[in-house]
Each structure stands twice: as C-alpha cells, then as structure tokens.
Amino acid sequence: MTRNLDAVVPQKIGAKTPKQQQTKKWGKKAGEISGAHALPGARPSMRLMAERRLPISAPPAAAVPRRYPRRSRGRCRLLLLPAFSVALLCLAYLSFSSHSSLPFHAVHPGLVADNVRKEIDKRHTLNATMKTNTSMTKNGSEPFTRRKKPRKRYAPCEIEFVPSVDNLVEPADYNNFTQFSLNYILKEQKLVGNALFGPLFGGHQSLQERDETYYAENQTLHCGFVEGPEGHPSSGFDLDETDKAYMATCRIVVSSCIFGGSDYLRRPTKSKIGSYSKKNVCFIMFLDELTLATLSSEGHVPDENGFIGLWRIVIVKNLPYKDMRRAGKVPKFLAQRLFPSALYSIWLDSKLRLHADPMLIIEYFLWRKKAEYAISMHYDRTCVWEEVLQNKRLNKYNHTAIDEQFYFYQSDGLVKFNDSAQESVLPSYVPEGSFIVRAHTPMSNLFSCLWFNEVNRFTSRDQTVKEEQ
C-alpha cells in the first residue's frame, strides 16, 4: 500500500492542497466519489476509504524532503546508541572522581570504582584539612571549621598602694607647677554674612585659633559648652540644675558615662572603698534617657536620692553629637568644666570597674610621682603608624577621615615613635585612654581642652590625637 504524502509534504503559502485541486479538476464536491474509481458493490464509506489509499500525483521536486534508504537510517541508529552510552559513562566517571568533598562518596559507596577510591585515599593522606572536610556524611560527623588564633593575654599591672588612707596627706610641694590663667569661650556671636550659622557645642574654632592655643600662657580658648547668640537653641549636654549644684561642690571626682545603651552598669567594689572616700569623693555616672530606661528594665533603678550603689546618676539631655563615642568624650576630657571646684578627678571607661580606693590611686599616680596627668599606656602598640593601620584594619572609623587626620598631623611634624631615642620623653605615643588620673592644674586643664578640640574637629578615635599633642 502506498503511503499518502499529504501529511508530510510542506505546502507553499497560498498553494492549493491536492484535495482542492482534485475538486476543481473533476467538478465534484469534496465528499463525492467518481464512478470510474469506485469499487464495484462497495458502500460510499468504503469507496471513500479506498479512494484515500490511491496514490496521488507527486509535488514538485523542490518541495519534496530528501529521503534516505532504510539501510542507511538503520546504521545511523546503531552508531548513535553506542556514542550516547559512552558519553553517559564518561559523565558518571567525572562525577565520581571529581572532588573528594562531594557528599555522595559516603552516601553511595557502591557506585565508586576501585581506582577512584584509591585516588581519594591518596588525596586524603596528602591533605589533612580536606580529609576533615570530607567527614560530612550521614553518620552525623561535624563539618570542617577553621581554628581561631588564640588571643593575647596580658597580666594585670602590679601597683604597690600604701596600706591605708588614714594617714594620707597631700605633699606640700606638690602644686609647684606652671601657673597661668585659662578662660573659656562661653558664647559666639553670629558672623556677618554667614546665613548658615548655627551653634556648635565645640564652637567654630579656626585653624589660626587652634595654633595659638598650643602655648602655656594666659589665654581664652574654646573648650566645649559654647552657646550661640540670643534666641538660638542650646548647643547640647543639658543637665538638671540640681545636678549642677551637686557637681559644683565636688572636690575629688570619679566619673564615667554610658550613652546609647551601649554597655551595662559596673558598680565600684564597696569593700575596697574606704569610709573617707565614701563621704568625700563624688562618684558620678552620666547617662542619657535611653540608657536609664535600659538599666531600669534590668533592675538598676536609682533610689530616692538618685544613687545606684555608689554612683550618683546624672541624666544628660540633648546630647551634642549623634555619634555616641564622640558624645562620651565630653565628660571624659572636660571634667574641669563639669566640676569647676574639683582638685582631682579619675576617669573610668564604662568597661572598667573601680576596684581600689580613689585616694590610693591619686597618691600612687600623682602625689608619689609628682605628676599632673596620668593615663594608661596602650597594651600592644606604641606608634601612631601602627594605631592608624589597626583602626583601618578593624574598620573603626571611615578610612578617608582617618587618613586626612593622619596627614594633617604629619604636616604638623608628627614622627614615628622610637623607644631607643635619648630625647624620648614618653614611653609610648599611643595611650589606651580608658583610665585617666589628673590634677586640675592649668597645664592639665589646657591639655584636656586641646585634646577635646581635636576630637571635635577630626575623628572620635582619640589615641592618635593624644600623640600629636
């Protein structure tokens, strides 16, 4: 029986089908069968089926697809089947012999060939780390983890305090320091032609004014708490009048601060504090309202006199900086402004706990050594170049801002620290800054103002600033 090619021969667009040509040629309807082609005695439906099996005239040679002999097509099928099988085998081999950390090595061990297992064993012996990594199987062993380098540990400093504070007396010649008068700028007037003027807590200090303040002489300088002209809002760090009156009476101060709820409250160890210090030393903890709410939720609620343990809680409103680290520099460096009657002050970062009597600390660091200012030395670094690299490595601050400040100090004459130099006055150029003991002398007050002005002008990272000064 000849196959009908109507279904496989592609037709040109607009060309008539053979059925249409047949209708036009014979003048019959599509469903009628000519008597010359009908089988005798057959019903119309059977005649129609027989008519459909008759061969029709072939279309033009250009429209007929090329047909290959049956024997050639059979050979193609025989060649494609082995090629496809070989490709599958190669893919399976590459999958099982690729990397020893693939999990199906342990899940499906029966599918791995012997030579692949031998190669994996060689890799295991050559690389112990990869052997650990391949232990992630169904039996519950843990994946590979890197070992962290051990952190450096530092022993505490040995300090020989006097046995008791009962017989402590301030040395008669202790205050034999450089004497000069310091006054502070309290208010700035609006500059003519400056429409964008706004009050700043640190004031609008020019570079020329900055250079002139680096002399130990009678002067008036910027030192925080600068207010704008009449009608302008406060520049920040607003305190309650009751707290101001209490702080004005303090002669010896221990102070700290927590802003932004960044730490928890560490109370001084009462058993280490003598009765004299409990009566005569002011323990001031500066908090903002957010930190007070956080501490209250943790159970640290001030009593009716505003104390939590030995700490007198002082609430600061309207912080002058959005950066909580920079805002913390106000009570850290400006104790002479917050406590105008104080003779001595001790600063503790909130990460420290006072574990000794304040009078013993003052006697050891100031009176015994006849010093005006004592600050903790950095435990690991002595050079500003190292401190700059570490701050950038740990992303402590914007790298561009750090570089600008660093280049500025180099133009001022900053050099690398050399501990072997004979003219070296300091044992290090990088302080740790978390512990400061100072007498409120003119030189100490000037140094604190200069340090604060640098933090106000540049970054809040104060270790680099200290070395420049």
Side-chain angles (χ1 to χ4, degrees), residues 369-435:
K369 304 178 184 299
K370 295 184 179 181
E372 300 175 80
Y373 201 102
I375 187 171
S376 56
M377 191 170 63
H378 200 280
Y379 50 85
D380 193 35
R381 293 180 290 278
T382 58
C383 184
V384 179
W385 269 253
E386 300 172 357
E387 182 67 21
V388 168
L389 291 177
Q390 185 69 3
N391 275 270
K392 295 168 75 173
R393 185 181 298 113
L394 300 178
N395 290 322
K396 292 293 187 69
Y397 208 82
N398 180 271
H399 292 194
T400 303
I402 293 177
D403 290 336
E404 289 178 354
Q405 184 178 8
F406 187 42
Y407 298 150
F408 189 91
Y409 290 159
Q410 291 183 65
S411 66
D412 276 355
L414 175 66
V415 296
K416 290 185 177 182
F417 176 76
N418 184 8
D419 55 355
S420 62
Q422 296 181 355
E423 65 273 9
S424 180
V425 179
L426 299 173
S428 170
Y429 280 0
V430 182
E432 208 279 327
S434 60
F435 177 69

Side-chain angles (χ1 to χ4, degrees), residues 206-323:
S206 65
L207 289 177
Q208 181 179 355
E209 291 174 335
R210 171 185 178 271
D211 294 339
E212 293 173 353
T213 57
Y214 279 83
Y215 296 93
E217 59 185 15
N218 299 340
Q219 60 176 302
T220 301
L221 75 160
H222 291 84
C223 195
F225 297 96
V226 180
E227 297 293 341
E230 295 292 337
H232 283 75
S234 169
S235 60
F237 214 85
D238 300 333
L239 304 176
D240 186 78
E241 293 299 328
T242 304
D243 293 329
K244 286 184 179 180
Y246 175 81
M247 293 161 58
T249 62
C250 297
R251 307 288 286 179
I252 302 174
V253 181
V254 176
S255 62
S256 185
C257 77
I258 305 175
F259 293 146
S262 57
D263 210 339
Y264 60 88
L265 188 66
R266 294 173 173 87
R267 306 185 188 188
T269 306
K270 282 189 176 182
S271 60
K272 299 291 184 177
I273 311 298
S275 58
Y276 177 86
S277 295
K278 291 179 179 178
K279 293 180 181 179
N280 297 280
V281 176
C282 297
F283 297 87
I284 305 296
M285 174 62 71
F286 294 96
L287 305 176
D288 61 342
E289 294 178 307
L290 173 61
T291 305
L292 178 62
T294 303
L295 295 178
S296 299
S297 64
E298 297 173 353
H300 300 285
V301 181
D303 59 19
E304 61 276 5
N305 296 320
F307 285 84
I308 300 179
L310 291 178
W311 288 121
R312 167 70 182 260
I313 304 301
V314 175
I315 304 301
V316 181
K317 297 181 179 180
N318 188 23
L319 291 175
Y321 306 102
K322 294 182 179 180
D323 182 4

